[in-house]
Amino acid sequence: MPSADTLRAAIRDVVDFPKPGIVFKDITPVLADPALFRDAITLICDSAGGQRIDKVVGIDARGFIFAAAVADRLGAGFIPVRKKGKLPWKTRQQAYSLEYGESVVELHEDAVAPGETVLLVDDLLATGGTAGAALNLLDQLGAQVVGVTFLIELGFLGGRRMLGDHKVTSILVFD
């Protein structure tokens, strides 16, 4: 049986990365260990609660790692939410605030059909800006978002407040 505690023990804290005062949660030990990676994917899949999922949406870039594996396991399609200018076809854009400035994410305008069931997956929930922007794009396309799942949540940053009334699951929460 997969254990969140085993995953938590494998995540490495990297102090002052990418800048002073930040403690980065390094997931590469989880990715490097086949059993831990499989357990992480299983726990994320379990967050869907047995619901049929048409598409798993992953957020650029580490979210792609988890979302693609979850999509494969659930027999669903994989949809990338990318940084502005990285998708090759017609897109919808959503801006969101950063600590200093603004950023934009995009989604192909035909990525999700109205009514398709979607699980949004990312590696980390911090302030919630990127995930909130992705949810806005999915709402614009008429997706039925059945859940939003993160491997890690930095609870002390309060990112859940940016995700509206969607069902949010975090495998690991660091307060």
Side-chain angles (χ1 to χ4, degrees), residues 91-116:
T91 62
R92 299 255 179 134
Q93 298 181 356
Q94 181 67 52
Y96 62 98
S97 296
L98 298 170
E99 187 175 350
Y100 300 102
E102 186 176 87
S103 193
V104 176
V105 290
E106 296 181 323
L107 183 66
H108 276 147
E109 63 182 30
D110 64 350
V112 178
E116 281 190 308

Side-chain angles (χ1 to χ4, degrees), residues 94-98 105 125-136 159 162-163:
Q94 181 67 52
Y96 62 98
S97 296
L98 298 170
V105 290
L125 173 60
T127 62
T130 310
L135 286 167
N136 285 338
M162 301 294 290
L163 307 182

Side-chain angles (χ1 to χ4, degrees), residues 119-138:
L119 178 65
L120 178 64
V121 173
D122 202 3
D123 69 314
L124 180 77
L125 173 60
T127 62
T130 310
L135 286 167
N136 285 338
L137 288 170
L138 291 167

Side-chain angles (χ1 to χ4, degrees), residues 5-12 26 29-30 36:
D5 291 335
T6 306
L7 294 174
R8 181 183 299 273
I11 292 172
R12 181 171 37 212
D26 182 9
V30 171
L36 291 176

Side-chain angles (χ1 to χ4, degrees), residues 55-59 64 67 71 77-81 107-108 110-112 138:
K55 306 278 176 66
V56 178
V57 176
I59 297 175
F64 295 171
F78 167 71
I79 303 296
V81 170
L107 183 66
H108 276 147
D110 64 350
V112 178
L138 291 167

Side-chain angles (χ1 to χ4, degrees), residues 131-145:
L135 286 167
N136 285 338
L137 288 170
L138 291 167
D139 287 344
Q140 289 174 31
L141 295 177
Q144 181 186 344
V145 178

Side-chain angles (χ1 to χ4, degrees), residues 5-53:
D5 291 335
T6 306
L7 294 174
R8 181 183 299 273
I11 292 172
R12 181 171 37 212
D13 284 347
V14 181
V15 177
D16 294 329
F17 183 83
K19 61 184 184 177
I22 302 292
V23 179
F24 184 82
K25 298 295 184 189
D26 182 9
I27 62 170
T28 58
V30 171
L31 300 176
D33 184 301
L36 291 176
F37 184 60
R38 184 173 39 257
D39 286 353
I41 298 308
T42 297
L43 291 168
I44 294 170
C45 288
D46 289 351
S47 75
Q51 295 182 76
R52 182 183 59 81
I53 305 295

